[in-house]
Amino acid sequence: MVELWFYSGRIGNCMFAYAFNRCIADTLKLQCQLPKGTEITGFPNIAMESIEATHHEEKYTIYKDYPENPKTIIHENDNMAWFLEKQFQGDKLTCYNDCLTIQKVLASPDIENKWIVTLGNFETGEQYLPYRHKLKEWFRFPKLNINKFEFFKLHPDLGEENYYEGVSFGGIHKDDLVISLRLEDYTTSQNLDRLLTYDYFKIILKSKKWNNVYIITNPGSIGHNNQYKWIKEFYPYDPILVRCYEPVLSMAFGTQFNHIAISQSTYSWWLAFLSNAENIYYPIPKEGPFAFNDERYKGVDLRIMSPDFKYIDYEQEIILPNDYYVKIDYINKKWID
């Protein structure tokens, strides 16, 4: 059995916790057990789809730098709920370069006979690439109901009288760009290092002529509030702002686009990874978990070696070439000349 001990964080982090366990369970033909009575909000089927375990001998605990046992918690940030039954201590599988991967677990001796218990988010993208097609099946989106969406444009007065004006939805064109702009999450003082503003996205916006530019952001960011100062900078591109109060539906809408620009956000990453987009623009920012070498976020590396992922160097203000991965000296953490 592969058992997820608890969910931590909001929807993007929870999806990583589930994906890590589900991929291991699927490979080993074991049951994937979630915390009792839980699901990731918006994905109700994932708690019911698993393969029955054949046998196991003992429990292994897998975790990443967690100082204590998790606590029993109900309802955090309206994204999930969980309940933990009696806890136990187990062995720790050794991490590799602060980064425990699915492949590392599967390479452990006699692992198919172990009862695997995990806690952590396991946010390294490359390990999920072999399972990308299956993850798209496991994270099945609900049917899109466009009546649950609102669409706006920036008012020409740019806030003098009205902030936004409602518009009708005209459908998605293959040459539209959608930006996943996470604002409410990252405009607090403790998370400002994750915030990517217009200065970053304009690198993508200037790279070609777009049919329409859509912006998906937190629903509370579209209104008379302190998030507006970051949104109004996009005015030269006449963006269509999308508001939906159901995060998974909003994610499902974003996956319909052929060109996706993401923020420094696990929610944005999943939106892109679960899509069939031709171009996914991924930031290499100055700081934060997506940065090239930010010591505060060891073990987080969501880059994947896939032709649909295009990497943007924020400091050089360029879209990196497709051979980006072969130009990195990973051991010494620097570019190869």
Side-chain angles (χ1 to χ4, degrees):
M1 178 182 292
V2 181
E3 181 177 346
L4 172 59
W5 236 2
F6 78 124
Y7 287 126
S8 173
R10 303 184 71 180
I11 189 168
N13 291 335
C14 293
M15 290 173 73
F16 277 111
Y18 174 78
F20 186 81
N21 287 264
R22 184 66 186 271
C23 293
I24 293 172
D26 183 75
T27 303
L28 296 177
K29 301 294 186 287
L30 297 176
Q31 182 184 12
C32 184
Q33 179 68 47
L34 301 181
K36 183 178 179 180
T38 74
E39 60 197 33
I40 301 175
T41 302
F43 295 108
N45 293 322
I46 63 171
M48 299 181 289
E49 297 176 352
S50 60
I51 301 170
E52 289 299 322
T54 54
H55 58 279
H56 55 79
E57 294 177 352
E58 60 182 285
K59 293 185 177 182
Y60 260 49
T61 302
I62 301 170
Y63 61 98
K64 246 174 99 320
D65 304 323
Y66 201 86
E68 58 185 13
N69 284 337
K71 302 175 176 65
T72 299
I73 303 177
I74 302 295
H75 296 300
E76 178 188 350
N77 294 330
D78 79 0
N79 288 112
M80 80 276 330
W82 61 77
F83 178 79
L84 300 177
E85 293 187 334
K86 185 177 180 180
Q87 300 169 14
F88 57 88
Q89 296 291 338
D91 296 329
K92 177 182 177 181
L93 294 184
T94 304
C95 296
Y96 178 70
N97 287 343
D98 295 319
C99 202
L100 184 63
T101 66
I102 296 162
Q103 292 73 26
K104 178 71 175 179
V105 174
L106 295 175
S108 300
D110 202 30
I111 194 66
E112 66 276 3
N113 295 321
K114 308 299 183 184
W115 188 336
I116 304 165
V117 181
T118 70
L119 47 97
N121 297 124
F122 310 108
E123 294 175 4
T124 53
E126 196 71 16
Q127 66 180 320
Y128 300 106
L129 192 54
Y131 301 92
R132 192 175 186 181
H133 178 72
K134 287 187 174 182
L135 284 162
K136 290 179 182 182
E137 293 295 319
W138 298 334
F139 287 122
R140 289 201 304 273
F141 292 112
K143 185 178 180 179
L144 273 180
N145 180 355
I146 209 67
N147 292 323
K148 293 187 176 183
F149 290 79
E150 298 172 275
F151 301 90
F152 304 88
K153 283 198 173 184
L154 290 163
H155 194 277
D157 290 338
L158 289 182
E160 292 300 322
E161 295 181 6
N162 302 292
Y163 286 69
Y164 305 95
E165 50 188 3
V167 296
S168 58
F169 176 56
I172 298 172
H173 187 274
K174 65 180 181 66
D175 290 323
D176 289 343
L177 172 72
V178 66
I179 293 172
S180 178
L181 181 67
R182 310 301 291 168
L183 286 181
E184 287 182 336
D185 298 345
Y186 303 135
T187 53
T188 62
S189 58
Q190 63 189 30
N191 286 326
L192 272 175
D193 65 311
R194 292 176 175 236
L195 180 63
L196 293 175
T197 61
Y198 174 74
D199 285 342
Y200 164 73
F201 289 104
K202 72 178 180 182
I203 303 168
I204 303 159
L205 289 165
K206 293 192 303 182
S207 68
K208 63 176 293 185
K209 183 175 176 59
W210 304 103
N211 179 62
N212 277 311
V213 174
Y214 286 80
I215 296 177
I216 299 174
T217 190
N218 314 68
S221 295
I222 303 174
H224 296 247
N225 54 47
N226 61 1
Q227 310 299 315
Y228 179 72
K229 61 185 177 183
W230 284 289
I231 296 177
K232 71 178 183 180
E233 292 182 297
F234 290 86
Y235 181 74
Y237 289 89
D238 193 26
I240 300 168
L241 292 110
V242 183
R243 179 162 69 187
C244 177
Y245 289 92
E246 297 182 28
V248 171
L249 273 184
S250 186
M251 185 184 290
F253 180 81
T255 64
Q256 305 302 303
F257 286 79
N258 193 39
H259 306 276
I260 301 172
I262 70 172
S263 294
Q264 191 167 201
S265 148
T266 55
Y267 177 93
S268 295
W269 189 90
W270 278 111
L271 185 159
F273 190 73
L274 297 177
S275 77
N276 294 315
E278 179 182 355
N279 292 304
I280 293 164
Y281 297 98
Y282 178 106
I284 307 294
K286 298 175 182 177
E287 59 179 343
F290 284 23
F292 185 59
N293 187 24
D294 193 323
E295 290 297 320
R296 294 168 296 174
Y297 298 97
K298 287 185 176 180
V300 177
D301 186 354
L302 293 178
R303 296 169 298 173
I304 63 173
M305 196 181 302
S306 180
D308 52 333
F309 270 61
K310 315 295 183 183
Y311 295 94
I312 315 299
D313 187 326
Y314 191 6
E315 293 189 271
Q316 299 296 319
E317 297 187 359
I318 59 170
I319 299 176
L320 295 170
N322 287 337
D323 58 353
Y324 159 70
Y325 266 89
V326 301
K327 293 180 179 296
I328 298 175
D329 178 350
Y330 284 98
I331 295 176
N332 297 309
K333 300 291 186 182
K334 65 180 183 179
W335 295 104
I336 298 173
D337 295 330

